[in-house]
Amino acid sequence: DAGVTQSPTHLIKTRGQQVTLRCSPKSGHDTVSWYQQALGQGPQFIFQYYEEEERQRGNFPDRFSGHQFPNYSSELNVNALLLGDSALYLCASSPTGSNEQFFGPGTRLTVL
Amino acid sequence: AQKITQTQPGMFVQEKEAVTLDCTYDTSDPSYGLFWYKQPSSGEMIFLIYQGSYDQQNATEGRYSLNFQKARKSANLVISASQLGDSAMYFCAMREGFNFGNEKLTFGTGTRLTIIP
């Protein structure tokens, strides 16, 4: 049983560009959450998707948007990249009503 | 105020010794859950243990136990008989409320644990 997978592993972009990160949840999990982890910090909640809708959102600007597909996989889009967007982006999935969130290995984004 | 506070940026522990990682939290919600995650250098967050605010007993999972002191709002992780593979970053996290659709986790800044042979 595959766990949470994310792609790509690493990504380098320049300021002002746009980026799309992808996440496939663990089998049977219908809820996907995205977190941003800056270097030396704990993860910060970006948003959560359930039934293809954004259900909860953290304190992130509208430049951060997402999508969930019918197969529960998800994308995180970031527009107009800033240097401060450089971070490890973690995806977590969980089944409905569960306390436990299973995390993927993350995508490391570097903005130059 | 910080919702999750981890005051130990780094710790060095001799192999086979027990180690306690500190975590204090702040919430006004009577319903909450506390989590500990391990993050090796690979980056993946690995779930270790969970404690609900209404749980009467301290949670245990193998070598991991959670010392839950509700009145003091602390949820310290205890690792018994430490191993070299325990070297990693450890994060304490909290979920406030058990409402469906409210599963956001708030993390602390982490503690880097290094096990010395």
Side-chain angles (χ1 to χ4, degrees), chain A residues 4 10 12 14 16-17 19 22 24 33 48-49 57 61-62 68 77 80-84 92-93 104-105:
Chain A
V4 179
H10 295 87
I12 299 175
T14 56
Q17 285 189 312
V19 68
R22 295 176 176 81
S24 291
S33 302
Q48 183 180 80
Y49 277 84
R57 189 178 182 92
D62 292 344
Q68 186 179 35
N77 301 294
L81 284 167
L82 304 174
L83 295 179
S93 73

XYZ file of all heavy atoms in Angstrom, chain A residues 4 10 12 14 16-17 19 22 24 33 48-49 57 61-62 68 77 80-84 92-93 104-105:
194
model
N 1.577 8.453 1.031
C 1.346 9.729 0.356
C 2.547 10.018 -0.554
O 3.691 9.909 -0.111
C 1.182 10.865 1.381
C 0.956 12.195 0.666
C 0.054 10.549 2.349
N 12.135 18.120 -5.962
C 12.778 19.429 -5.859
C 12.359 20.289 -7.045
O 12.050 19.761 -8.121
C 14.317 19.307 -5.875
C 14.880 18.582 -4.705
N 15.026 17.215 -4.669
C 15.344 19.046 -3.505
C 15.553 16.863 -3.515
N 15.759 17.941 -2.792
N 13.211 24.413 -8.734
C 13.841 25.731 -8.662
C 13.099 26.663 -9.606
O 12.916 26.347 -10.784
C 15.336 25.667 -9.031
C 16.082 24.764 -8.055
C 15.947 27.076 -9.020
C 17.547 24.544 -8.425
N 12.171 31.129 -10.421
C 12.605 32.506 -10.193
C 11.412 33.351 -9.754
O 10.253 32.979 -9.975
C 13.230 33.106 -11.461
O 12.281 33.003 -12.528
C 14.510 32.375 -11.841
N 8.436 35.751 -9.377
C 7.400 36.130 -10.321
C 6.793 34.962 -11.079
O 5.703 35.097 -11.650
N 7.491 33.828 -11.076
C 6.960 32.667 -11.788
C 5.831 32.011 -10.990
O 5.546 32.371 -9.847
C 8.076 31.645 -12.050
C 9.029 32.051 -13.161
C 9.967 30.906 -13.527
O 10.576 30.261 -12.671
N 10.086 30.648 -14.821
N 4.083 28.109 -9.874
C 4.486 26.726 -9.673
C 3.273 25.884 -9.286
O 2.323 26.390 -8.664
C 5.582 26.637 -8.574
C 5.027 26.993 -7.193
C 6.199 25.258 -8.543
N 2.168 18.644 -6.723
C 1.153 17.598 -6.792
C 1.259 16.626 -5.634
O 2.357 16.366 -5.125
C 1.248 16.868 -8.129
C 0.921 17.764 -9.310
C 1.095 17.083 -10.649
N 0.670 17.964 -11.739
C 1.404 18.937 -12.259
N 2.618 19.149 -11.817
N 0.920 19.687 -13.240
N -0.567 12.819 -4.167
C -1.501 11.689 -4.230
C -1.660 11.140 -2.826
O -0.671 10.731 -2.205
C -0.967 10.596 -5.157
O -0.985 11.032 -6.490
N -4.383 17.858 3.105
C -3.961 19.142 3.669
C -2.584 19.489 3.145
O -1.778 18.600 2.885
C -3.908 19.072 5.203
O -5.160 18.709 5.740
N -6.878 22.946 3.402
C -7.305 21.557 3.383
C -8.428 21.387 2.369
O -9.308 22.247 2.249
C -7.801 21.127 4.761
C -8.196 19.669 4.861
C -8.685 19.317 6.250
O -9.824 19.590 6.616
N -7.803 18.717 7.036
N -8.395 20.239 1.662
C -9.421 19.937 0.675
C -10.160 18.668 1.036
O -9.559 17.665 1.491
C -8.797 19.800 -0.720
C -8.615 21.140 -1.384
C -7.500 21.921 -1.122
C -9.587 21.644 -2.239
C -7.350 23.161 -1.706
C -9.444 22.892 -2.825
C -8.321 23.642 -2.553
O -8.175 24.875 -3.124
N -8.692 27.082 5.731
C -7.555 27.798 5.188
C -6.775 28.476 6.290
O -7.366 29.019 7.242
C -8.013 28.843 4.166
C -6.879 29.495 3.386
C -7.408 30.493 2.362
N -6.300 31.064 1.592
C -5.855 30.576 0.431
N -6.445 29.525 -0.104
N -4.849 31.153 -0.204
N -1.762 34.153 1.622
C -2.421 35.033 0.640
C -3.076 34.236 -0.486
O -2.826 33.043 -0.649
C -1.261 35.895 0.121
C -0.040 35.077 0.358
C -0.300 34.299 1.614
N -3.862 34.966 -1.254
C -4.588 34.338 -2.356
C -3.677 33.805 -3.456
O -4.141 33.080 -4.340
C -5.578 35.346 -2.965
C -6.698 35.684 -2.008
O -6.871 34.933 -1.027
O -7.390 36.691 -2.226
N -8.618 19.866 -5.705
C -8.677 18.433 -5.444
C -9.481 17.771 -6.542
O -10.542 18.281 -6.937
C -9.295 18.136 -4.077
C -9.239 16.644 -3.716
C -9.829 16.325 -2.355
O -10.799 16.940 -1.932
N -9.253 15.343 -1.681
N -1.026 25.399 -6.074
C -0.511 26.379 -7.012
C -0.079 27.636 -6.266
O -0.792 28.104 -5.370
C -1.590 26.766 -8.032
C -2.079 25.574 -8.824
O -1.350 24.980 -9.590
N -3.342 25.211 -8.611
N 3.036 34.269 -8.748
C 3.891 35.430 -8.430
C 4.853 35.104 -7.291
O 4.849 35.752 -6.236
C 3.010 36.629 -8.066
N 5.679 34.111 -7.506
C 6.571 33.608 -6.460
C 7.471 34.697 -5.881
O 7.998 35.558 -6.604
C 7.435 32.478 -7.022
C 6.728 31.131 -7.204
C 7.584 30.192 -8.053
C 6.409 30.508 -5.861
N 7.633 34.626 -4.563
C 8.536 35.505 -3.822
C 9.677 34.672 -3.250
O 9.541 33.455 -3.081
C 7.785 36.198 -2.681
C 6.538 37.001 -3.056
C 5.835 37.483 -1.793
C 6.911 38.161 -3.945
N 10.778 35.352 -2.935
C 11.903 34.642 -2.326
C 11.453 33.914 -1.056
O 11.908 32.808 -0.770
C 13.030 35.612 -1.999
C 13.716 36.296 -3.178
C 14.804 37.244 -2.673
C 14.293 35.276 -4.152
N 10.557 34.526 -0.315
C 10.073 33.959 0.943
C 9.210 32.724 0.776
O 8.857 32.084 1.771
N -0.440 16.203 3.385
C -0.867 15.192 4.349
C -2.261 14.708 3.981
O -3.105 15.506 3.552
C -0.866 15.768 5.762
N -2.499 13.429 4.137
C -3.831 12.906 3.849
C -4.381 12.181 5.068
O -3.628 11.715 5.926
C -3.806 11.975 2.632
O -3.203 10.729 2.939
N 3.461 13.157 3.277
C 4.332 12.764 2.191
C 5.750 13.263 2.425
O 6.005 13.950 3.414
N 6.666 12.930 1.515
C 8.068 13.325 1.690
C 8.332 14.791 1.409
O 9.398 15.302 1.734
C 8.799 12.443 0.672
C 7.774 12.154 -0.367
C 6.468 12.096 0.337
